[in-house]
Amino acid sequence: MAKVRIPTVKGTRDFYPEDMALRRWLYDHMRAVAEAFGYQEYDGPFLEPLALYAAKSGEELVKEQAFVFPDRSGELITLRPELTPSLARMVAQRQKQLVLPLRWWSFGPFWRYERPQRGRGREFFQWNVDLVGAATPETDAELAAVGATFFRRVGLQPQQVRILVNNRRLMDTQLAALGIPAEQRKAVFRLIDRKEKMQPAAWEAYAADIGLSPAQIQGLYALFERHDLWQTSDELRRFFAAAEALGVADYLRYEPTVIRGLDYYTGTVFEARDHAGRFRAILGGGRYDNLVAAVGGEPVPGVGFAMGDMVITLVLEAYGLRPDLPLSPAQALVTVFDADHWLDSLRLAQRLRAAGLRVVVYPQPARLGKQFKYAHRLGIPVVLVRGPDEVAADRVTLKHMGTGEQVQVPTEQAADRVRQWALD
RNA sequence: GUGGCCGUAGCUCAAUGGCAGAGCACCUGACUGUGGAUCAGGUGGUUGGGGGUUCAAAUCCCCUCGGCCACCCCA
């Protein structure tokens, strides 16, 4: 075995061609969906000053879960753990010249210094979609619709993946009605956020610990059963009406226990989960109305979500939806019959490329069986042979690797035949 | 960062203190102009790495690296 003397950095992944093909596949679908809704692609730097994150995000996200290091001048540099602060700065910097509301999307790498686990690494790719400069529930619904449309596009059904929706202002009102004072509500949000992952007894102990009375705890339990609670919120009524109009209502469901961890969400929040609950959140997002102001701009409302590449990949695998992608981009392999016909093969390949085809030539003369096997293993759909018989008659033999069908045609017809077979 | 489980051939896994193995994969041949199927043969290992105990360590102990699980947090 070849000894790997220098391993990958903990929590990072090598992207071999088959892995890269899947990443590219995800990217292509993200792009198609985002552009269908008119979103523009953008990106920020991968390196940011630590100060960008100081006033925002979750405190913990930066203090304990970011890669931070000094550069040669001593400035503290951060490998970006999320994109929203960069987005906020970019908007604030050009606030006066940007056309608002803006719809932007991005797909790129992010880093978090965490303990790796299934669906969670230290280096991952994330799809970010944001709409900045509008504050309507209808735009909240549009963001959820972008996520739902992605799920539909990659074959995930509403029975398999659902976007769970809640609203922090609604929950704020409900908590107030339970007599929970404003200064306690942030802690209670965290409590609600952890409801699903704790045993009832432990959860109640935690609730009592942050100062809730038994009556208030019972009140929370009652809230969690109120799946019709959204009807008391004008924002959510408009949200679900818009989702219906956008054709994604079947992917959405009101869920009173969804609250999201990040502190900067102010209104509607949502996260996508697989139906079986086997994986962590597939995407998460919501409305943030104060973010741009935090980096020095005029307050501008926004709504957005992020989806990581690792969990969505696991979910696609779980439902048998991970695509079989071709290993090689080549549509045809030209064999090299022997040393005397080597250049004939090169000429044939060039002729096919000039006709717009993607063609690989076997690198040297070898047994034809070996060359066919090479094409088979790379998933190249058509194999061409130009040996003594073919050269004498100015013809080419082609074999369709999927069906086993084989024909010999005049050389000038070879390109059309490859094109026809490569589509199957 | 805390606690737990686990690292053996490219992959999935055996061997529980006594000669490191199997299946699949890969290579070669049967088949000198044809992949997948079958048969035969073959390559491949410092048992993640380092140290210790022992006549003897994949096996027991310590350290370390990595993966997984639960916290924490979150994509």
PDB file of all heavy atoms in Angstrom, chain B residues 19-31:
ATOM      1  P     C B  19       0.104 -18.121  15.153  1.00  0.00           P
ATOM      2  OP1   C B  19      -0.068 -16.659  15.166  1.00  0.00           O
ATOM      3  OP2   C B  19      -0.977 -19.000  14.666  1.00  0.00           O
ATOM      4  O5'   C B  19       1.446 -18.509  14.383  1.00  0.00           O
ATOM      5  C5'   C B  19       2.627 -17.764  14.592  1.00  0.00           C
ATOM      6  C4'   C B  19       3.307 -17.518  13.265  1.00  0.00           C
ATOM      7  O4'   C B  19       3.621 -18.799  12.667  1.00  0.00           O
ATOM      8  C3'   C B  19       2.423 -16.787  12.241  1.00  0.00           C
ATOM      9  O3'   C B  19       3.219 -15.904  11.455  1.00  0.00           O
ATOM     10  C2'   C B  19       1.844 -17.910  11.393  1.00  0.00           C
ATOM     11  O2'   C B  19       1.536 -17.521  10.094  1.00  0.00           O
ATOM     12  C1'   C B  19       2.985 -18.919  11.419  1.00  0.00           C
ATOM     13  N1    C B  19       2.509 -20.295  11.278  1.00  0.00           N
ATOM     14  C2    C B  19       3.090 -21.115  10.305  1.00  0.00           C
ATOM     15  O2    C B  19       4.016 -20.659   9.612  1.00  0.00           O
ATOM     16  N3    C B  19       2.662 -22.378  10.160  1.00  0.00           N
ATOM     17  C4    C B  19       1.661 -22.839  10.936  1.00  0.00           C
ATOM     18  N4    C B  19       1.263 -24.094  10.759  1.00  0.00           N
ATOM     19  C5    C B  19       1.046 -22.027  11.926  1.00  0.00           C
ATOM     20  C6    C B  19       1.493 -20.777  12.058  1.00  0.00           C
ATOM     21  P     A B  20       3.072 -14.354  11.700  1.00  0.00           P
ATOM     22  OP1   A B  20       3.980 -13.694  10.753  1.00  0.00           O
ATOM     23  OP2   A B  20       3.183 -14.132  13.132  1.00  0.00           O
ATOM     24  O5'   A B  20       1.557 -14.038  11.311  1.00  0.00           O
ATOM     25  C5'   A B  20       1.208 -14.045   9.977  1.00  0.00           C
ATOM     26  C4'   A B  20      -0.283 -14.045   9.852  1.00  0.00           C
ATOM     27  O4'   A B  20      -0.831 -12.840  10.426  1.00  0.00           O
ATOM     28  C3'   A B  20      -0.741 -14.054   8.406  1.00  0.00           C
ATOM     29  O3'   A B  20      -0.841 -15.405   7.969  1.00  0.00           O
ATOM     30  C2'   A B  20      -2.074 -13.294   8.454  1.00  0.00           C
ATOM     31  O2'   A B  20      -3.110 -14.158   8.842  1.00  0.00           O
ATOM     32  C1'   A B  20      -1.823 -12.305   9.593  1.00  0.00           C
ATOM     33  N9    A B  20      -1.342 -10.983   9.181  1.00  0.00           N
ATOM     34  C8    A B  20      -0.077 -10.623   8.857  1.00  0.00           C
ATOM     35  N7    A B  20       0.082  -9.365   8.592  1.00  0.00           N
ATOM     36  C5    A B  20      -1.186  -8.847   8.741  1.00  0.00           C
ATOM     37  C6    A B  20      -1.699  -7.552   8.596  1.00  0.00           C
ATOM     38  N6    A B  20      -0.957  -6.494   8.267  1.00  0.00           N
ATOM     39  N1    A B  20      -3.014  -7.369   8.805  1.00  0.00           N
ATOM     40  C2    A B  20      -3.752  -8.423   9.156  1.00  0.00           C
ATOM     41  N3    A B  20      -3.379  -9.680   9.332  1.00  0.00           N
ATOM     42  C4    A B  20      -2.078  -9.831   9.103  1.00  0.00           C
ATOM     43  P     G B  21      -1.207 -15.804   6.488  1.00  0.00           P
ATOM     44  OP1   G B  21      -0.766 -17.197   6.308  1.00  0.00           O
ATOM     45  OP2   G B  21      -0.755 -14.744   5.570  1.00  0.00           O
ATOM     46  O5'   G B  21      -2.791 -15.807   6.512  1.00  0.00           O
ATOM     47  C5'   G B  21      -3.501 -15.960   5.307  1.00  0.00           C
ATOM     48  C4'   G B  21      -4.950 -16.139   5.639  1.00  0.00           C
ATOM     49  O4'   G B  21      -5.314 -15.286   6.762  1.00  0.00           O
ATOM     50  C3'   G B  21      -5.885 -15.712   4.529  1.00  0.00           C
ATOM     51  O3'   G B  21      -6.055 -16.750   3.563  1.00  0.00           O
ATOM     52  C2'   G B  21      -7.165 -15.407   5.282  1.00  0.00           C
ATOM     53  O2'   G B  21      -7.844 -16.596   5.628  1.00  0.00           O
ATOM     54  C1'   G B  21      -6.613 -14.770   6.559  1.00  0.00           C
ATOM     55  N9    G B  21      -6.517 -13.310   6.459  1.00  0.00           N
ATOM     56  C8    G B  21      -5.385 -12.548   6.297  1.00  0.00           C
ATOM     57  N7    G B  21      -5.630 -11.264   6.256  1.00  0.00           N
ATOM     58  C5    G B  21      -7.010 -11.169   6.392  1.00  0.00           C
ATOM     59  C6    G B  21      -7.862 -10.046   6.426  1.00  0.00           C
ATOM     60  O6    G B  21      -7.556  -8.863   6.341  1.00  0.00           O
ATOM     61  N1    G B  21      -9.200 -10.412   6.582  1.00  0.00           N
ATOM     62  C2    G B  21      -9.644 -11.700   6.687  1.00  0.00           C
ATOM     63  N2    G B  21     -10.956 -11.850   6.822  1.00  0.00           N
ATOM     64  N3    G B  21      -8.873 -12.763   6.663  1.00  0.00           N
ATOM     65  C4    G B  21      -7.565 -12.422   6.521  1.00  0.00           C
ATOM     66  P     A B  22      -6.483 -16.384   2.077  1.00  0.00           P
ATOM     67  OP1   A B  22      -6.265 -17.566   1.233  1.00  0.00           O
ATOM     68  OP2   A B  22      -5.863 -15.092   1.710  1.00  0.00           O
ATOM     69  O5'   A B  22      -8.058 -16.139   2.222  1.00  0.00           O
ATOM     70  C5'   A B  22      -8.905 -17.205   2.588  1.00  0.00           C
ATOM     71  C4'   A B  22     -10.323 -16.731   2.740  1.00  0.00           C
ATOM     72  O4'   A B  22     -10.391 -15.743   3.793  1.00  0.00           O
ATOM     73  C3'   A B  22     -10.906 -16.014   1.524  1.00  0.00           C
ATOM     74  O3'   A B  22     -11.383 -16.920   0.546  1.00  0.00           O
ATOM     75  C2'   A B  22     -12.022 -15.186   2.150  1.00  0.00           C
ATOM     76  O2'   A B  22     -13.150 -15.998   2.423  1.00  0.00           O
ATOM     77  C1'   A B  22     -11.393 -14.779   3.480  1.00  0.00           C
ATOM     78  N9    A B  22     -10.737 -13.455   3.425  1.00  0.00           N
ATOM     79  C8    A B  22      -9.400 -13.191   3.257  1.00  0.00           C
ATOM     80  N7    A B  22      -9.120 -11.909   3.264  1.00  0.00           N
ATOM     81  C5    A B  22     -10.352 -11.289   3.448  1.00  0.00           C
ATOM     82  C6    A B  22     -10.727  -9.950   3.554  1.00  0.00           C
ATOM     83  N6    A B  22      -9.868  -8.931   3.475  1.00  0.00           N
ATOM     84  N1    A B  22     -12.051  -9.664   3.737  1.00  0.00           N
ATOM     85  C2    A B  22     -12.909 -10.682   3.812  1.00  0.00           C
ATOM     86  N3    A B  22     -12.668 -11.996   3.732  1.00  0.00           N
ATOM     87  C4    A B  22     -11.355 -12.229   3.548  1.00  0.00           C
ATOM     88  P     G B  23     -11.428 -16.516  -0.999  1.00  0.00           P
ATOM     89  OP1   G B  23     -11.753 -17.719  -1.780  1.00  0.00           O
ATOM     90  OP2   G B  23     -10.192 -15.754  -1.300  1.00  0.00           O
ATOM     91  O5'   G B  23     -12.652 -15.496  -1.079  1.00  0.00           O
ATOM     92  C5'   G B  23     -13.985 -15.967  -0.908  1.00  0.00           C
ATOM     93  C4'   G B  23     -14.942 -14.792  -0.843  1.00  0.00           C
ATOM     94  O4'   G B  23     -14.617 -13.979   0.309  1.00  0.00           O
ATOM     95  C3'   G B  23     -14.856 -13.822  -2.016  1.00  0.00           C
ATOM     96  O3'   G B  23     -15.581 -14.261  -3.151  1.00  0.00           O
ATOM     97  C2'   G B  23     -15.418 -12.546  -1.411  1.00  0.00           C
ATOM     98  O2'   G B  23     -16.829 -12.600  -1.341  1.00  0.00           O
ATOM     99  C1'   G B  23     -14.843 -12.609   0.011  1.00  0.00           C
ATOM    100  N9    G B  23     -13.562 -11.897   0.109  1.00  0.00           N
ATOM    101  C8    G B  23     -12.300 -12.441   0.055  1.00  0.00           C
ATOM    102  N7    G B  23     -11.350 -11.556   0.168  1.00  0.00           N
ATOM    103  C5    G B  23     -12.032 -10.347   0.298  1.00  0.00           C
ATOM    104  C6    G B  23     -11.529  -9.031   0.457  1.00  0.00           C
ATOM    105  O6    G B  23     -10.357  -8.656   0.509  1.00  0.00           O
ATOM    106  N1    G B  23     -12.559  -8.101   0.544  1.00  0.00           N
ATOM    107  C2    G B  23     -13.891  -8.411   0.487  1.00  0.00           C
ATOM    108  N2    G B  23     -14.741  -7.378   0.583  1.00  0.00           N
ATOM    109  N3    G B  23     -14.378  -9.628   0.353  1.00  0.00           N
ATOM    110  C4    G B  23     -13.390 -10.542   0.262  1.00  0.00           C
ATOM    111  P     C B  24     -15.044 -13.977  -4.626  1.00  0.00           P
ATOM    112  OP1   C B  24     -15.952 -14.641  -5.582  1.00  0.00           O
ATOM    113  OP2   C B  24     -13.606 -14.317  -4.633  1.00  0.00           O
ATOM    114  O5'   C B  24     -15.198 -12.400  -4.768  1.00  0.00           O
ATOM    115  C5'   C B  24     -16.481 -11.802  -4.904  1.00  0.00           C
ATOM    116  C4'   C B  24     -16.421 -10.310  -4.678  1.00  0.00           C
ATOM    117  O4'   C B  24     -15.808 -10.027  -3.388  1.00  0.00           O
ATOM    118  C3'   C B  24     -15.553  -9.521  -5.651  1.00  0.00           C
ATOM    119  O3'   C B  24     -16.192  -9.281  -6.895  1.00  0.00           O
ATOM    120  C2'   C B  24     -15.304  -8.240  -4.866  1.00  0.00           C
ATOM    121  O2'   C B  24     -16.442  -7.414  -4.873  1.00  0.00           O
ATOM    122  C1'   C B  24     -15.102  -8.807  -3.458  1.00  0.00           C
ATOM    123  N1    C B  24     -13.663  -9.046  -3.200  1.00  0.00           N
ATOM    124  C2    C B  24     -12.876  -7.935  -2.864  1.00  0.00           C
ATOM    125  O2    C B  24     -13.411  -6.824  -2.780  1.00  0.00           O
ATOM    126  N3    C B  24     -11.558  -8.111  -2.643  1.00  0.00           N
ATOM    127  C4    C B  24     -11.018  -9.330  -2.745  1.00  0.00           C
ATOM    128  N4    C B  24      -9.712  -9.457  -2.521  1.00  0.00           N
ATOM    129  C5    C B  24     -11.792 -10.475  -3.082  1.00  0.00           C
ATOM    130  C6    C B  24     -13.102 -10.294  -3.305  1.00  0.00           C
ATOM    131  P     A B  25     -15.328  -9.220  -8.242  1.00  0.00           P
ATOM    132  OP1   A B  25     -16.240  -8.888  -9.352  1.00  0.00           O
ATOM    133  OP2   A B  25     -14.495 -10.444  -8.303  1.00  0.00           O
ATOM    134  O5'   A B  25     -14.353  -7.984  -7.974  1.00  0.00           O
ATOM    135  C5'   A B  25     -14.853  -6.644  -7.997  1.00  0.00           C
ATOM    136  C4'   A B  25     -13.755  -5.664  -7.661  1.00  0.00           C
ATOM    137  O4'   A B  25     -13.216  -5.984  -6.356  1.00  0.00           O
ATOM    138  C3'   A B  25     -12.549  -5.674  -8.584  1.00  0.00           C
ATOM    139  O3'   A B  25     -12.764  -4.892  -9.746  1.00  0.00           O
ATOM    140  C2'   A B  25     -11.466  -5.090  -7.686  1.00  0.00           C
ATOM    141  O2'   A B  25     -11.580  -3.684  -7.590  1.00  0.00           O
ATOM    142  C1'   A B  25     -11.829  -5.708  -6.336  1.00  0.00           C
ATOM    143  N9    A B  25     -11.094  -6.966  -6.110  1.00  0.00           N
ATOM    144  C8    A B  25     -11.579  -8.239  -6.174  1.00  0.00           C
ATOM    145  N7    A B  25     -10.682  -9.164  -5.916  1.00  0.00           N
ATOM    146  C5    A B  25      -9.529  -8.439  -5.672  1.00  0.00           C
ATOM    147  C6    A B  25      -8.220  -8.828  -5.337  1.00  0.00           C
ATOM    148  N6    A B  25      -7.847 -10.093  -5.189  1.00  0.00           N
ATOM    149  N1    A B  25      -7.291  -7.857  -5.166  1.00  0.00           N
ATOM    150  C2    A B  25      -7.679  -6.574  -5.318  1.00  0.00           C
ATOM    151  N3    A B  25      -8.879  -6.077  -5.617  1.00  0.00           N
ATOM    152  C4    A B  25      -9.769  -7.074  -5.786  1.00  0.00           C
ATOM    153  P     C B  26     -12.114  -5.337 -11.130  1.00  0.00           P
ATOM    154  OP1   C B  26     -12.545  -4.366 -12.157  1.00  0.00           O
ATOM    155  OP2   C B  26     -12.373  -6.779 -11.327  1.00  0.00           O
ATOM    156  O5'   C B  26     -10.555  -5.149 -10.856  1.00  0.00           O
ATOM    157  C5'   C B  26     -10.007  -3.857 -10.657  1.00  0.00           C
ATOM    158  C4'   C B  26      -8.535  -3.955 -10.316  1.00  0.00           C
ATOM    159  O4'   C B  26      -8.374  -4.689  -9.070  1.00  0.00           O
ATOM    160  C3'   C B  26      -7.699  -4.747 -11.313  1.00  0.00           C
ATOM    161  O3'   C B  26      -7.300  -3.954 -12.415  1.00  0.00           O
ATOM    162  C2'   C B  26      -6.519  -5.200 -10.471  1.00  0.00           C
ATOM    163  O2'   C B  26      -5.593  -4.154 -10.291  1.00  0.00           O
ATOM    164  C1'   C B  26      -7.207  -5.480  -9.128  1.00  0.00           C
ATOM    165  N1    C B  26      -7.600  -6.898  -8.969  1.00  0.00           N
ATOM    166  C2    C B  26      -6.619  -7.833  -8.604  1.00  0.00           C
ATOM    167  O2    C B  26      -5.451  -7.452  -8.431  1.00  0.00           O
ATOM    168  N3    C B  26      -6.968  -9.126  -8.440  1.00  0.00           N
ATOM    169  C4    C B  26      -8.232  -9.512  -8.631  1.00  0.00           C
ATOM    170  N4    C B  26      -8.538 -10.794  -8.460  1.00  0.00           N
ATOM    171  C5    C B  26      -9.249  -8.579  -9.014  1.00  0.00           C
ATOM    172  C6    C B  26      -8.887  -7.301  -9.167  1.00  0.00           C
ATOM    173  P     C B  27      -7.230  -4.604 -13.889  1.00  0.00           P
ATOM    174  OP1   C B  27      -7.049  -3.486 -14.841  1.00  0.00           O
ATOM    175  OP2   C B  27      -8.346  -5.547 -14.056  1.00  0.00           O
ATOM    176  O5'   C B  27      -5.883  -5.442 -13.839  1.00  0.00           O
ATOM    177  C5'   C B  27      -4.630  -4.787 -13.703  1.00  0.00           C
ATOM    178  C4'   C B  27      -3.525  -5.810 -13.570  1.00  0.00           C
ATOM    179  O4'   C B  27      -3.705  -6.546 -12.328  1.00  0.00           O
ATOM    180  C3'   C B  27      -3.518  -6.897 -14.635  1.00  0.00           C
ATOM    181  O3'   C B  27      -2.882  -6.470 -15.835  1.00  0.00           O
ATOM    182  C2'   C B  27      -2.767  -8.019 -13.932  1.00  0.00           C
ATOM    183  O2'   C B  27      -1.370  -7.767 -13.917  1.00  0.00           O
ATOM    184  C1'   C B  27      -3.300  -7.890 -12.506  1.00  0.00           C
ATOM    185  N1    C B  27      -4.456  -8.761 -12.243  1.00  0.00           N
ATOM    186  C2    C B  27      -4.222 -10.116 -11.960  1.00  0.00           C
ATOM    187  O2    C B  27      -3.059 -10.536 -11.967  1.00  0.00           O
ATOM    188  N3    C B  27      -5.270 -10.933 -11.716  1.00  0.00           N
ATOM    189  C4    C B  27      -6.516 -10.450 -11.719  1.00  0.00           C
ATOM    190  N4    C B  27      -7.513 -11.288 -11.468  1.00  0.00           N
ATOM    191  C5    C B  27      -6.785  -9.080 -12.006  1.00  0.00           C
ATOM    192  C6    C B  27      -5.734  -8.279 -12.253  1.00  0.00           C
ATOM    193  P     U B  28      -3.366  -7.087 -17.235  1.00  0.00           P
ATOM    194  OP1   U B  28      -2.627  -6.378 -18.290  1.00  0.00           O
ATOM    195  OP2   U B  28      -4.840  -7.124 -17.260  1.00  0.00           O
ATOM    196  O5'   U B  28      -2.841  -8.588 -17.136  1.00  0.00           O
ATOM    197  C5'   U B  28      -1.449  -8.864 -17.107  1.00  0.00           C
ATOM    198  C4'   U B  28      -1.204 -10.346 -17.005  1.00  0.00           C
ATOM    199  O4'   U B  28      -1.679 -10.829 -15.716  1.00  0.00           O
ATOM    200  C3'   U B  28      -1.953 -11.222 -18.005  1.00  0.00           C
ATOM    201  O3'   U B  28      -1.330 -11.241 -19.278  1.00  0.00           O
ATOM    202  C2'   U B  28      -1.930 -12.577 -17.310  1.00  0.00           C
ATOM    203  O2'   U B  28      -0.657 -13.185 -17.428  1.00  0.00           O
ATOM    204  C1'   U B  28      -2.134 -12.168 -15.846  1.00  0.00           C
ATOM    205  N1    U B  28      -3.555 -12.226 -15.457  1.00  0.00           N
ATOM    206  C2    U B  28      -4.064 -13.478 -15.119  1.00  0.00           C
ATOM    207  O2    U B  28      -3.389 -14.486 -15.145  1.00  0.00           O
ATOM    208  N3    U B  28      -5.392 -13.488 -14.760  1.00  0.00           N
ATOM    209  C4    U B  28      -6.238 -12.408 -14.709  1.00  0.00           C
ATOM    210  O4    U B  28      -7.414 -12.580 -14.365  1.00  0.00           O
ATOM    211  C5    U B  28      -5.642 -11.151 -15.084  1.00  0.00           C
ATOM    212  C6    U B  28      -4.349 -11.107 -15.433  1.00  0.00           C
ATOM    213  P     G B  29      -2.248 -11.439 -20.588  1.00  0.00           P
ATOM    214  OP1   G B  29      -1.346 -11.274 -21.741  1.00  0.00           O
ATOM    215  OP2   G B  29      -3.459 -10.596 -20.471  1.00  0.00           O
ATOM    216  O5'   G B  29      -2.708 -12.965 -20.480  1.00  0.00           O
ATOM    217  C5'   G B  29      -1.751 -14.004 -20.647  1.00  0.00           C
ATOM    218  C4'   G B  29      -2.318 -15.324 -20.221  1.00  0.00           C
ATOM    219  O4'   G B  29      -2.849 -15.235 -18.873  1.00  0.00           O
ATOM    220  C3'   G B  29      -3.512 -15.842 -21.025  1.00  0.00           C
ATOM    221  O3'   G B  29      -3.118 -16.412 -22.257  1.00  0.00           O
ATOM    222  C2'   G B  29      -4.092 -16.882 -20.068  1.00  0.00           C
ATOM    223  O2'   G B  29      -3.327 -18.074 -20.078  1.00  0.00           O
ATOM    224  C1'   G B  29      -3.902 -16.177 -18.712  1.00  0.00           C
ATOM    225  N9    G B  29      -5.109 -15.486 -18.270  1.00  0.00           N
ATOM    226  C8    G B  29      -5.378 -14.146 -18.292  1.00  0.00           C
ATOM    227  N7    G B  29      -6.558 -13.853 -17.817  1.00  0.00           N
ATOM    228  C5    G B  29      -7.106 -15.082 -17.453  1.00  0.00           C
ATOM    229  C6    G B  29      -8.361 -15.425 -16.888  1.00  0.00           C
ATOM    230  O6    G B  29      -9.285 -14.668 -16.559  1.00  0.00           O
ATOM    231  N1    G B  29      -8.503 -16.796 -16.698  1.00  0.00           N
ATOM    232  C2    G B  29      -7.548 -17.727 -17.018  1.00  0.00           C
ATOM    233  N2    G B  29      -7.864 -18.992 -16.772  1.00  0.00           N
ATOM    234  N3    G B  29      -6.374 -17.433 -17.546  1.00  0.00           N
ATOM    235  C4    G B  29      -6.219 -16.108 -17.737  1.00  0.00           C
ATOM    236  P     A B  30      -4.143 -16.523 -23.485  1.00  0.00           P
ATOM    237  OP1   A B  30      -3.406 -17.023 -24.650  1.00  0.00           O
ATOM    238  OP2   A B  30      -4.887 -15.243 -23.573  1.00  0.00           O
ATOM    239  O5'   A B  30      -5.175 -17.643 -22.997  1.00  0.00           O
ATOM    240  C5'   A B  30      -4.735 -18.990 -22.851  1.00  0.00           C
ATOM    241  C4'   A B  30      -5.867 -19.854 -22.374  1.00  0.00           C
ATOM    242  O4'   A B  30      -6.303 -19.395 -21.068  1.00  0.00           O
ATOM    243  C3'   A B  30      -7.129 -19.806 -23.235  1.00  0.00           C
ATOM    244  O3'   A B  30      -7.026 -20.680 -24.343  1.00  0.00           O
ATOM    245  C2'   A B  30      -8.203 -20.226 -22.240  1.00  0.00           C
ATOM    246  O2'   A B  30      -8.236 -21.635 -22.086  1.00  0.00           O
ATOM    247  C1'   A B  30      -7.702 -19.597 -20.938  1.00  0.00           C
ATOM    248  N9    A B  30      -8.331 -18.294 -20.647  1.00  0.00           N
ATOM    249  C8    A B  30      -7.872 -17.047 -20.987  1.00  0.00           C
ATOM    250  N7    A B  30      -8.641 -16.064 -20.578  1.00  0.00           N
ATOM    251  C5    A B  30      -9.676 -16.714 -19.911  1.00  0.00           C
ATOM    252  C6    A B  30     -10.823 -16.247 -19.245  1.00  0.00           C
ATOM    253  N6    A B  30     -11.123 -14.957 -19.140  1.00  0.00           N
ATOM    254  N1    A B  30     -11.652 -17.140 -18.697  1.00  0.00           N
ATOM    255  C2    A B  30     -11.345 -18.450 -18.812  1.00  0.00           C
ATOM    256  N3    A B  30     -10.296 -19.022 -19.401  1.00  0.00           N
ATOM    257  C4    A B  30      -9.493 -18.091 -19.948  1.00  0.00           C
ATOM    258  P     C B  31      -7.847 -20.339 -25.627  1.00  0.00           P
ATOM    259  OP1   C B  31      -9.290 -20.432 -25.341  1.00  0.00           O
ATOM    260  OP2   C B  31      -7.194 -21.233 -26.621  1.00  0.00           O
ATOM    261  O5'   C B  31      -7.503 -18.843 -26.007  1.00  0.00           O
ATOM    262  C5'   C B  31      -7.790 -18.345 -27.319  1.00  0.00           C
ATOM    263  C4'   C B  31      -8.274 -16.912 -27.225  1.00  0.00           C
ATOM    264  O4'   C B  31      -9.542 -16.872 -26.566  1.00  0.00           O
ATOM    265  C3'   C B  31      -7.329 -16.009 -26.463  1.00  0.00           C
ATOM    266  O3'   C B  31      -7.150 -14.797 -27.180  1.00  0.00           O
ATOM    267  C2'   C B  31      -8.056 -15.743 -25.145  1.00  0.00           C
ATOM    268  O2'   C B  31      -7.810 -14.467 -24.642  1.00  0.00           O
ATOM    269  C1'   C B  31      -9.530 -15.892 -25.546  1.00  0.00           C
ATOM    270  N1    C B  31     -10.379 -16.333 -24.451  1.00  0.00           N
ATOM    271  C2    C B  31     -11.100 -15.362 -23.738  1.00  0.00           C
ATOM    272  O2    C B  31     -10.977 -14.191 -24.050  1.00  0.00           O
ATOM    273  N3    C B  31     -11.907 -15.764 -22.735  1.00  0.00           N
ATOM    274  C4    C B  31     -12.006 -17.073 -22.433  1.00  0.00           C
ATOM    275  N4    C B  31     -12.799 -17.400 -21.454  1.00  0.00           N
ATOM    276  C5    C B  31     -11.275 -18.063 -23.145  1.00  0.00           C
ATOM    277  C6    C B  31     -10.478 -17.653 -24.144  1.00  0.00           C
TER     278        C B  31
END
